Amino acid sequence: MQQNQPPTPPCKRNHSPSLLFQCSDLILTWLTPQELATVSLTCTALRAISTSITLRRSSDASRSLEPHPIPFHNSVDRHPYAFFTYTPSQIPPSSSRFPLRQSWGSGCSTQGPNSVGEIGVETLRLVDESGEGAAGCDCETCGEEEGGCPCSEFGGFDGVVSECGLGCGCGLDCGNRVSQRGIEVRLKIVKDRRKGWSLYADQFIPKGRFVCEYAGELLTTKEARLRQQVYDEFASGGNFSPALLVVREHLPSRKACLRYNIDATRVGNVARFINHSCDGGNLSTTLVRSSGALLPRLCFFASKDIREDEELTFSYGEVTLRSKGLKCFCGSSCCLGMLPAEQT
């Protein structure tokens, strides 16, 4: 027989309601979903505040750090959003002993697009400031100068696109900074019964348009291998989807490559919700290096015209059979039944 839950007690009115709301907006927005649920049981006023915070969280995964809000949509279960720390770019690794805290769900956000203001994490600036590597162009309008913008002629590694960087005189409206203005296309995160959270287009996206970069914690290979072992154990129990990506930048000789690891499992952006498709999907990956930067960024571009309400997918790579491999639910006609797995 189902028992009714005891009514939530009213808050003692020792303080004015406006003061309570102001204090809660400073404190409760830093709580995890579990902590917020516990607080909501203490009194009716805090329950109402907690509900408002939950609604605001589900309305924008990016915490106002992107040009447009990126909402969650879930008709599968009772979890209105996925909880993680948001960063629009690569950051140093965080300590698992001291989880990062980030305000999310405030009713008085003052952050603008790409502002890391009170994000609670330090944005990583991998830029060579020791000489010629930090030099940038002095174009007034890149692309219109005689001989072209020197940043676009960077003789770097194979297959890497070059953009203007911090040392350049041009601003963010420069045509050679298409991946540096945040996520300018409208996206949404939808819960799928088999795949879990998935990233969808919330507008038409033409072929070649920049969508987003893969942001997260930049790890050493040793740390990546240690984390992958932990993630494999969690994934074997179900209801856990790691987002650790291994990136390789090949030297022009093709005989060696630079490897780095981006982990968006705990800290990342909405690219962590992009699922695999065995047919290659509708996104292509491109390494983009800004002028003076030591490491490139992994960016996603539309490989074909993408319809509104279409899921965004790409190929994780070749399938490697593993005893702890995860099933693939891409649904394509060439589905191999298992997700690709990088041997970290």
Side-chain angles (χ1 to χ4, degrees):
M1 180 177 180
Q2 185 176 2
Q3 297 180 350
N4 294 326
Q5 293 183 350
T8 305
C11 291
K12 295 181 179 179
R13 300 189 177 278
N14 295 332
H15 304 284
S16 66
S18 60
L19 180 60
L20 178 63
F21 274 88
Q22 291 175 8
C23 293
S24 65
D25 208 44
L26 295 174
I27 299 173
L28 299 190
T29 55
W30 293 86
L31 301 184
T32 66
Q34 294 79 10
E35 294 167 343
L36 196 62
T38 301
V39 169
S40 69
L41 299 176
T42 58
C43 69
T44 53
L46 289 178
R47 183 175 183 176
I49 296 170
S50 299
T51 300
S52 297
I53 292 174
T54 298
L55 291 174
R56 287 193 291 266
R57 286 182 175 182
S58 62
S59 68
D60 185 14
S62 74
R63 288 77 158 163
S64 300
L65 293 172
E66 302 291 356
H68 305 292
I70 305 174
F72 290 93
H73 298 278
N74 185 5
S75 59
V76 175
D77 53 40
R78 300 179 63 181
H79 300 287
Y81 59 89
F83 186 75
F84 65 103
T85 300
Y86 197 94
T87 177
S89 56
Q90 297 171 358
I91 65 166
S94 61
S95 172
S96 58
R97 295 176 55 190
F98 304 100
L100 290 171
R101 292 279 180 170
Q102 181 183 49
S103 179
W104 185 17
S106 173
C108 53
S109 174
T110 58
Q111 294 170 325
N114 279 329
S115 158
V116 288
E118 299 176 357
I119 189 173
V121 294
E122 177 186 0
T123 301
L124 188 63
R125 295 183 178 271
L126 297 173
V127 179
D128 180 9
E129 299 177 350
S130 60
E132 295 183 358
C137 69
D138 54 2
C139 306
E140 292 184 3
T141 304
C142 295
E144 297 183 5
E145 302 292 328
E146 183 178 354
C149 175
C151 294
S152 60
E153 301 174 359
F154 171 71
F157 291 176
D158 188 33
V160 179
V161 174
S162 180
E163 289 188 344
C164 295
L166 291 176
C168 298
C170 53
L172 281 178
D173 57 344
C174 170
N176 197 31
R177 293 178 182 266
V178 296
S179 70
Q180 301 175 38
R181 295 189 284 266
I183 303 175
E184 296 186 308
V185 296
R186 292 191 177 274
L187 307 174
K188 59 185 176 182
I189 305 164
V190 181
K191 188 69 170 288
D192 181 86
R193 192 170 299 277
R194 294 191 301 175
K195 297 180 184 179
W197 293 108
S198 311
L199 191 63
Y200 279 73
D202 207 18
Q203 67 167 74
F204 171 76
I205 303 176
K207 179 180 179 180
R209 180 75 183 271
F210 169 72
V211 177
C212 63
E213 71 170 276
Y214 197 89
E217 299 176 87
L218 193 62
L219 307 180
T220 63
T221 298
K222 179 180 179 180
E223 177 63 24
R225 287 171 176 165
L226 291 174
R227 288 196 184 186
Q228 189 62 58
Q229 292 176 2
V230 176
Y231 294 161
D232 285 343
E233 293 179 3
F234 284 141
S236 62
N239 298 321
F240 180 78
S241 299
L244 199 165
L245 198 64
V246 177
V247 181
R248 290 182 173 86
E249 182 182 10
H250 293 276
L251 292 168
S253 65
R254 306 293 296 181
K255 295 181 180 180
C257 66
L258 174 65
R259 166 185 166 147
Y260 62 106
N261 314 275
I262 308 174
D263 188 5
T265 306
R266 297 181 301 185
V267 185
N269 66 348
V270 295
R272 68 196 296 275
F273 299 112
I274 303 177
N275 288 318
H276 163 79
S277 181
C278 292
D279 65 3
N282 50 23
L283 297 177
S284 61
T285 57
T286 302
L287 290 177
V288 178
R289 175 182 275 107
S290 301
S291 178
L294 298 177
L295 292 178
R297 293 172 293 113
L298 183 67
C299 296
F300 293 96
F301 292 82
S303 59
K304 58 184 73 173
D305 287 345
I306 301 174
R307 305 184 307 275
E308 183 178 354
D309 296 326
E310 182 178 348
E311 184 182 2
L312 303 181
T313 58
F314 77 108
S315 173
Y316 288 4
E318 297 181 0
V319 171
T320 302
L321 296 179
R322 302 176 64 195
S323 59
K324 298 181 180 180
L326 300 177
K327 291 183 179 180
C328 177
F329 300 107
C330 71
S332 67
S333 58
C334 57
C335 181
L336 299 175
M338 183 173 292
L339 290 177
E342 174 70 35
Q343 296 291 344
T344 56

